[in-house]
Amino acid sequence: KMQSHRSVAEENGVSESIVYSILDLISFDTISKLPQTIAIDEFKGDSGVWDSDRQHWIKDKYHTNIVDGDARSVIDVLPVIRAADLKKYFRQFPKPNATKGKTNVLPYKNFFEILDAIPPHYSLSNHQIKVRFYCCDMHNGFVSVAREIFPHSIIYIDMFHVIKHLNDCVSEIRRQIQHDLEPSDPDYRLLKGSMRMLVTKQSGIDTKYDQKALREKKSDKLLKTYPDLNEAYQALQSFHYINDMFVFQRTQLTEWLNAYFFPPSTGSPQRRQHGPALAGNIQNTWKYGKSNGVCEGYNNRIKVLKRTCYGLHNFESFRKRILLTCGVTQFVTNPASLFQETALRKETLRYDRPH
């Protein structure tokens, strides 16, 4: 449930400190194998571990959320988003032959013990690689993890991230132009007033905005005056048009990617090198019908949980709350039994106390 620790304590008739103590006692079985479809994304957590030597919290701003795309449940939460640490995490899973006929419960309590136990040059042949689909955003770290750890998997980048990237490009160009103008310039107020219209799909403008503004064609004036803004706007609207097609048009999408997203004659050498690969990852979303929406939805639930609990500084407590709320991972110790044992112990001590 989306409840704070105080609400849980009041509902079960115990103190808030007992809730924290019981949460520390709860443990989960570490997953023994990876699912066929992995969806991965980062979220802002601002939690970490307590350093007793330095007497302060070692916090990471962003954490990694790993979701089973087929079962649509959170399978694990990691405290970091660095590619090197993610590769070490995925290397912990053994070969299928090594676990045949045995109950495979990994002997690690937390993420940091996993990093210490994995050799830095762990061979790729020792991985249990059964992942067929790998969904992420355009973060280079997530993509590099898939290419190295899951070389036979199909990487797909969700349309949400592409449209978000295009919206950010249009907004950034508009802000740069607006920053170079004086506040008294007529185009300054026109740019500020067209903030939302420029990032809205053309088919939805008629129902969302004033018809008078459309008749005056204020946005057309801006696009004719500023070529960079016009190019970013046309790229966004063209992608919306392709995305709304009932039948997937690979040729049109390829032409759009070459024209707007990864032009071969511009950009850094690294971008020109990885551009075609990322273009293929974007096309895989249409081809295989996969989406990272379940991961984005869980990120929203995690943010609500964080606000409800007024922030969680301890990462392990935060991770347990996420798995209890958003995951289907079986826990070794049932929290309900712990509450019952605590209540029974308190009742026994009250009756055994001398009167």
Side-chain angles (χ1 to χ4, degrees):
K1 294 182 180 180
M2 297 289 182
Q3 291 180 318
S4 64
H5 291 163
R6 179 175 296 181
S7 300
V8 175
E10 293 176 353
E11 182 177 327
N12 292 274
V14 296
S15 63
E16 193 172 351
S17 60
I18 292 179
V19 175
Y20 280 99
S21 300
I22 292 177
L23 188 62
D24 292 337
L25 294 175
I26 295 175
S27 58
F28 292 87
D29 282 339
T30 308
I31 58 173
S32 59
K33 61 180 180 179
L34 294 172
Q36 291 188 353
T37 303
I38 287 181
I40 187 170
D41 201 3
E42 77 278 358
F43 65 93
K44 188 176 180 181
D46 292 320
S47 63
V49 296
W50 174 256
D51 190 344
S52 57
D53 297 333
R54 300 180 182 179
Q55 294 295 312
H56 70 86
W57 289 93
I58 302 177
K59 293 185 178 181
D60 289 288
K61 186 174 182 180
Y62 291 98
H63 307 321
T64 303
N65 183 22
I66 304 176
V67 177
D68 185 345
D70 297 327
R72 307 181 72 84
S73 62
V74 178
I75 58 177
D76 211 344
V77 181
L78 307 183
V80 292
I81 63 172
R82 292 183 293 271
D85 295 331
L86 295 178
K87 292 174 185 178
K88 283 188 175 182
Y89 170 80
F90 286 119
R91 284 171 181 157
Q92 69 170 307
F93 299 97
K95 292 186 298 183
N97 295 336
T99 61
K100 188 175 181 180
K102 298 180 180 179
T103 302
N104 187 11
V105 178
L106 300 176
Y108 307 118
K109 295 181 180 179
N110 54 49
F111 177 76
F112 302 100
E113 291 187 8
I114 294 172
L115 296 186
D116 295 337
I118 301 297
H121 301 289
Y122 199 76
S123 175
L124 182 64
S125 61
N126 290 332
H127 300 168
Q128 181 181 357
I129 303 178
K130 287 188 174 180
V131 178
R132 295 183 56 193
F133 301 101
Y134 183 95
C135 183
C136 61
D137 55 17
M138 289 180 287
H139 187 268
N140 290 330
F142 291 155
V143 177
S144 66
V145 170
R147 288 173 179 167
E148 181 175 339
I149 307 299
F150 312 113
H152 303 292
S153 65
I154 299 172
I155 306 173
Y156 55 98
I157 296 176
D158 201 298
M159 297 300 104
F160 165 79
H161 299 102
V162 180
I163 294 176
K164 183 178 183 300
H165 176 74
L166 294 172
N167 288 341
D168 293 341
C169 289
V170 173
S171 300
E172 181 63 25
I173 294 174
R174 180 192 59 80
R175 284 192 294 265
Q176 290 178 358
I177 296 174
Q178 187 176 338
H179 183 266
D180 296 335
L181 297 176
E182 296 292 335
S184 57
D185 194 306
D187 287 349
Y188 183 91
R189 297 186 61 184
L190 191 58
L191 284 166
K192 190 173 182 180
S194 303
M195 175 177 59
R196 296 191 179 278
M197 185 181 294
L198 290 174
V199 296
T200 303
K201 186 164 57 174
Q202 189 69 36
S203 59
I205 290 180
D206 297 338
T207 58
K208 286 189 176 182
Y209 297 99
D210 187 15
Q211 295 293 330
K212 182 179 180 181
L214 294 174
R215 286 197 300 267
E216 293 176 354
K217 297 183 179 180
K218 294 182 178 180
S219 60
D220 292 344
K221 178 188 175 186
L222 290 175
L223 299 178
K224 292 178 180 178
T225 307
Y226 305 102
D228 293 340
L229 182 63
N230 181 44
E231 183 179 4
Y233 178 79
Q234 296 302 330
L236 174 63
Q237 297 302 330
S238 299
F239 188 81
H240 277 304
Y241 174 76
I242 297 174
N243 193 27
D244 290 342
M245 287 184 176
F246 182 75
V247 180
F248 170 50
Q249 300 292 339
R250 177 179 291 274
T251 303
Q252 294 190 14
L253 179 60
T254 303
E255 293 176 355
W256 180 91
L257 290 170
N258 294 332
Y260 293 108
F261 208 69
F262 299 110
S265 60
T266 60
S268 62
Q270 183 179 7
R271 181 173 180 177
R272 291 198 300 269
Q273 179 182 0
H274 298 294
L278 286 179
N281 298 338
I282 295 173
Q283 292 174 335
N284 288 337
T285 302
W286 270 290
K287 183 177 180 180
Y288 296 99
K290 297 291 183 178
S291 173
N292 202 25
V294 59
C295 199
E296 298 292 342
Y298 276 125
N299 283 348
N300 290 335
R301 294 194 65 181
I302 291 172
K303 293 176 184 177
V304 174
L305 176 64
K306 180 183 173 183
R307 289 195 301 267
T308 304
C309 297
Y310 303 101
L312 290 168
H313 298 287
N314 190 317
F315 171 75
E316 285 301 321
S317 298
F318 195 12
R319 174 179 175 272
K320 290 176 182 178
R321 287 300 307 269
I322 293 173
L323 293 177
L324 286 170
T325 306
C326 306
V328 294
T329 307
Q330 297 295 326
F331 39 75
V332 178
T333 309
N334 194 335
S337 63
L338 292 176
F339 279 118
Q340 294 174 0
E341 292 175 4
T342 303
L344 182 61
R345 193 182 307 113
K346 289 176 61 177
E347 191 73 15
T348 304
L349 290 175
R350 188 178 67 176
Y351 282 106
D352 292 346
R353 189 178 302 168
H355 297 283

